[in-house]
Amino acid sequence: GKKSSFGLSSLFPSSPILPTERPSFLALSTMMFLFIYVFTTVRDTKDTLVVSHCGAESIPYLKLYGVLPCAMAFIVGYSKLSNLLGKEALFYATLVPFFVFYSLFAYVLYPHRDAIHFPMKAVEAVADAAPGPLSLIRYWSFSLYFIVSELWASAGVPLLFWQVSYVAYSYLI
């Protein structure tokens, strides 16, 4: 008799994915899922941290004076690195700083937030003049988390995924 096997081809008999491409397809699908999972998690967390501690009025300041300059610096750095490194090394050089920062935030900065944030007495004198920007400075680790999370949204998901897709595709051809 005929042996029955349970695999991707039995689930999707008319799948356009060739059997030789399935490992790459599954790896890229898993990677894209993880990139988007991290993106969704940090997107929700960054807004919660900033709004609850600094107020919603501080987000425009953070985007204009924090995210915009950092995004421009990131693009300049990424462009220079892309001329110096190969695709695979560029992927790791882009991904590792995000991984290091999120690990540092989760295990060092956030657990010690009360010790590292500036006390309210230090900013009380000028808090009435500019409450949004001063709260961003007082809660600097949350502001930094917001900036890095915005960079992840614009760099992590599109740049890293398509970079890996290109490397995986180049191995197939």
Side-chain angles (χ1 to χ4, degrees), residues 100-141:
V100 168
F101 174 77
Y102 286 130
S103 298
L104 182 71
F105 186 83
Y107 296 110
V108 177
L109 296 177
Y110 189 76
H112 298 98
R113 64 191 175 276
D114 294 332
I116 63 171
H117 289 153
F118 299 117
M120 187 61 185
K121 291 177 185 173
V123 293
E124 271 181 353
V126 288
D128 292 334
L134 286 178
S135 62
L136 292 173
I137 294 169
R138 179 177 180 214
Y139 297 106
W140 64 269
S141 69

Side-chain angles (χ1 to χ4, degrees), residues 47-60:
D47 292 335
T48 302
L49 286 173
V50 169
V51 170
S52 64
H53 290 90
C54 304
E57 69 276 1
S58 61
I59 290 180

